[in-house]
Amino acid sequence: MEQRWTPHGSEVIDPTLLQGLAILSKANGRSVVEELNNAVSVYLAQELPLKLGEDGLALLVGEMHEGGQTTRA
């Protein structure tokens, strides 16, 4: 059974996940923001091809290089 986190109040990230990122950031000599960005980048690189195929990953990489923001139709 998969456990889902639901936000409470003004939380935007699971507190346990944030604590884990803080530990990783200290161990790796990076800020929590850098560690979070790294984690999101790795997640997207792994999940986008599975969900959207290689075209989805290419779209993301193209947007990142152009500095643009993706929009939904």
Side-chain angles (χ1 to χ4, degrees):
M1 181 158 97
E2 186 175 328
Q3 189 174 23
R4 296 272 181 183
W5 172 78
T6 56
H8 299 283
S10 63
E11 292 177 346
V12 292
I13 189 169
D14 176 53
T16 304
L17 179 60
L18 189 56
Q19 289 172 342
L21 286 171
I23 292 167
L24 281 174
S25 69
K26 185 167 181 123
N28 292 325
R30 294 190 282 247
S31 71
V32 174
V33 171
E34 290 171 314
E35 204 62 52
L36 178 59
N37 285 336
N38 187 45
V40 171
S41 295
V42 169
Y43 175 81
L44 288 175
Q46 291 174 351
E47 292 298 316
L48 275 182
L50 297 175
K51 306 289 185 193
L52 303 175
E54 292 299 325
D55 291 339
L57 183 58
L59 174 65
L60 176 68
V61 170
E63 289 290 325
M64 289 170 49
H65 286 290
E66 293 175 14
Q69 297 182 5
T70 58
T71 58
R72 288 187 170 205

